[in-house]
Amino acid sequence: MASEKNYSTTLALIEVLDTIYRALDNKEIIIGVYLDLQKAFDTVDHTILLEKLYHYGIRGNVHQWFKNYLTSRKQFTYVNDTNSKEMGISCGVPQGSVLGPLLFLIYVNDICNAAPEAKIKLFADDTNMFVHGSDLNDVTRNTNEYLRLLSNWFTANKLSLSTDKTCFTIFGPKKIRESKVQIKVHNCEINNVKFCKYLGILIDDEISWTQHIEYVYDKIVKFTGIFYKLRDKVPSHCLRDIYFSFVYPHILYGIELYGCANQSNLDKLVKLNNKLLRILQTKNRRCRVTDLYADYNTLAVPSLYSLQLLVFVHKFVHHRDLLPEVFENYFVFNNSVHGYTTRLKDELHLNSIKTGFGHRTVKFQGSLLWNNLPSALKQPMSINNFKTKVKCYLAQ
């Protein structure tokens, strides 16, 4: 669930993409629907919210406190030194507050009951659904039925869907992706798109990550000229801080997912990152790439991908309380699959895969990377200590 403890957008993306990869590995077709709520936080009905709070056990003085918190608010418009009349606010949760997102999550918490069989993914006001099956007609019919049920839920809860911004993507063979499929919301046909941004990541129908890598590239390529101008005017430690403030976060976010892209797709981003480091460190092209990353105590894109996956597996093995419950049994050890005493009994079990899609799951890649680690790095230790040691190992 979106409100689950320790959940992040990256973990939500890992769960979604591994679900898509596994379905594709089983030769299934997936329709992903990206629902766009119009001003979601501003349209929360106070009466309905208070009823839901009561239903979840918030009663008595606490319920009255929430009622006063929500209903005693007024608003006015200020233009050219003139105030409009004050008006009471009958809907919406305060944005920018700690309670705002929590109240919204409580408001939409029961959406899964509207279509129990649908794979609805919630993260704050991002609502998405992924329907899969072996037959395109069945998947299309089920998707439209689930959307009909969800539309009824949105209407009952006084939330509005923007049909212009709501869209869907078909994942599967090229012939299937190019099929004419009609998906409707409120009897309005929504657009079939080749890619869509979900939680800050551009997911394309081939899951090649071409669009997302291009998106990251465009975000950081503009710093090339800026860094040339800055490097002779700003101290080296400031240049390092600038890199980790304006370039590194764009590369790091979602690398657990797009890092499995073909080398030909990643190469463009890798070379740009190398170039930016050369500029900042005033190094020529003959300088070893490993030295560039060693000077900034960081890793190249492929190694950064491995690091992030290994940190995720390390949390599962030694700090499972730092992961949400959905990942409780995500990885499996060989000794729990069979009772044989083998030298591999304490390694992670590698599920059988049928296609390249199964090979790209975080579950498979994470298990593979972990099994190949030296035994000394698999021992219990803090996350920071693990990161430091694995960075040194990968840098070698």
Side-chain angles (χ1 to χ4, degrees):
M1 236 181 86
S3 60
E4 203 166 356
K5 185 181 178 181
N6 297 319
Y7 223 144
S8 67
T9 52
T10 301
L11 291 176
L13 285 161
I14 288 174
E15 184 194 357
V16 166
L17 266 299
D18 267 22
T19 300
I20 295 173
Y21 281 137
R22 283 196 298 269
L24 291 173
D25 193 54
N26 291 324
K27 308 289 186 178
E28 290 187 315
I29 301 152
I30 306 99
I31 294 181
V33 183
Y34 305 94
L35 302 165
D36 186 87
L37 289 172
Q38 292 181 336
K39 298 182 178 179
F41 279 70
D42 294 331
T43 54
V44 171
D45 184 89
H46 291 168
T47 302
I48 296 174
L49 175 58
L50 289 169
E51 288 178 359
K52 291 187 178 188
L53 287 170
Y54 188 86
H55 173 75
Y56 290 131
I58 299 173
R59 299 169 186 174
N61 290 335
V62 178
H63 189 272
Q64 187 62 39
W65 183 89
F66 273 108
K67 184 177 180 180
N68 292 339
Y69 176 76
L70 292 167
T71 58
S72 301
R73 296 178 177 271
K74 296 183 181 295
Q75 62 183 0
F76 66 92
T77 303
Y78 175 79
V79 179
N80 294 332
D81 299 324
T82 304
N83 295 338
S84 68
K85 293 174 63 177
E86 287 189 350
M87 299 285 289
I89 301 174
S90 61
C91 61
V93 291
Q95 296 190 46
S97 65
V98 175
L99 281 177
L102 176 61
L103 291 173
F104 180 80
L105 289 173
I106 292 172
Y107 193 79
V108 299
N109 185 62
D110 61 326
I111 189 173
C112 295
N113 298 331
E117 296 181 9
K119 302 290 184 182
I120 299 172
K121 304 294 182 182
L122 293 173
F123 202 100
D125 60 341
D126 277 300
T127 308
N128 305 275
M129 179 176 67
F130 297 88
V131 184
H132 59 90
S134 56
D135 181 75
L136 180 60
N137 291 328
D138 289 342
V139 175
T140 303
R141 182 171 58 254
N142 289 338
T143 301
N144 279 311
E145 174 60 17
Y146 297 152
L147 282 175
R148 184 188 67 80
L149 295 172
L150 287 176
S151 296
N152 292 339
W153 185 91
F154 285 127
T155 301
N157 287 273
K158 299 184 179 181
L159 294 172
S160 299
L161 271 178
S162 173
T163 52
D164 292 336
K165 294 181 179 179
T166 296
C167 57
F168 73 96
T169 299
I170 302 175
F171 302 95
K174 184 176 180 181
K175 184 179 179 181
I176 296 295
R177 296 198 307 270
E178 294 177 349
S179 302
K180 178 61 178 175
V181 172
Q182 284 189 330
I183 303 296
K184 295 182 177 181
V185 176
H186 298 315
N187 294 320
C188 295
E189 191 172 343
I190 60 175
N191 293 324
N192 180 2
V193 296
K194 293 295 182 183
F195 63 90
C196 184
K197 182 181 280 189
Y198 175 53
L199 298 179
I201 295 286
L202 292 174
I203 306 174
D204 61 276
D205 58 357
E206 298 180 60
I207 320 184
S208 65
W209 302 109
T210 305
Q211 282 78 16
H212 183 73
I213 291 170
E214 190 68 33
Y215 171 74
V216 176
Y217 181 92
D218 291 341
K219 283 279 189 180
I220 64 176
V221 71
K222 61 188 177 184
F223 291 106
T224 306
I226 296 172
F227 287 171
Y228 270 123
K229 295 175 181 177
L230 285 178
R231 68 177 182 179
D232 296 325
K233 302 174 182 177
V234 176
S236 59
H237 70 276
C238 290
L239 292 174
R240 186 182 186 278
D241 290 343
I242 290 171
Y243 171 80
F244 282 104
S245 297
F246 294 99
V247 175
Y248 184 76
H250 291 298
I251 294 172
L252 184 67
Y253 182 68
I255 198 169
E256 298 91 336
L257 304 160
Y258 79 81
C260 68
N262 291 335
Q263 185 59 44
S264 57
N265 286 344
L266 275 176
D267 199 44
K268 182 178 182 180
L269 187 60
V270 172
K271 288 180 177 178
L272 174 60
N273 197 32
N274 294 345
K275 182 178 181 179
L276 292 172
L277 289 175
R278 282 196 184 95
I279 295 169
L280 290 171
Q281 297 175 27
T282 323
K283 302 287 179 64
N284 57 44
R285 293 184 63 86
R286 292 190 298 274
C287 173
R288 292 195 310 168
V289 172
T290 52
D291 292 339
L292 295 173
Y293 289 94
D295 285 351
Y296 273 23
N297 190 28
T298 186
L299 298 169
V301 172
S303 297
L304 204 55
Y305 164 68
S306 299
L307 173 65
Q308 291 300 100
L309 289 191
L310 285 168
V311 169
F312 175 58
V313 181
H314 174 78
K315 286 182 180 179
F316 175 86
V317 176
H318 298 298
H319 304 279
R320 206 168 302 183
D321 58 310
L322 297 179
L323 292 174
E325 289 182 11
V326 70
F327 294 107
E328 178 66 28
N329 300 307
Y330 205 66
F331 297 99
V332 178
F333 288 96
N334 283 330
N335 57 20
S336 64
V337 176
H338 58 74
Y340 304 111
T341 303
T342 66
R343 63 186 180 84
L344 302 179
K345 65 183 179 66
D346 294 325
E347 292 193 349
L348 294 177
H349 181 67
L350 293 174
N351 291 330
S352 60
I353 54 175
K354 305 166 188 172
T355 68
F357 290 114
H359 189 267
R360 290 158 64 186
T361 61
V362 167
K363 187 172 185 177
F364 183 86
Q365 285 294 323
S367 299
L368 199 62
L369 287 165
W370 182 263
N371 291 345
N372 289 330
L373 273 183
S375 58
L377 294 177
K378 297 179 184 178
Q379 302 307 310
M381 65 184 81
S382 70
I383 294 172
N384 287 335
N385 195 17
F386 177 77
K387 280 183 180 180
T388 301
K389 291 184 176 182
V390 172
K391 278 173 75 173
C392 293
Y393 168 75
L394 294 172
Q396 296 171 3

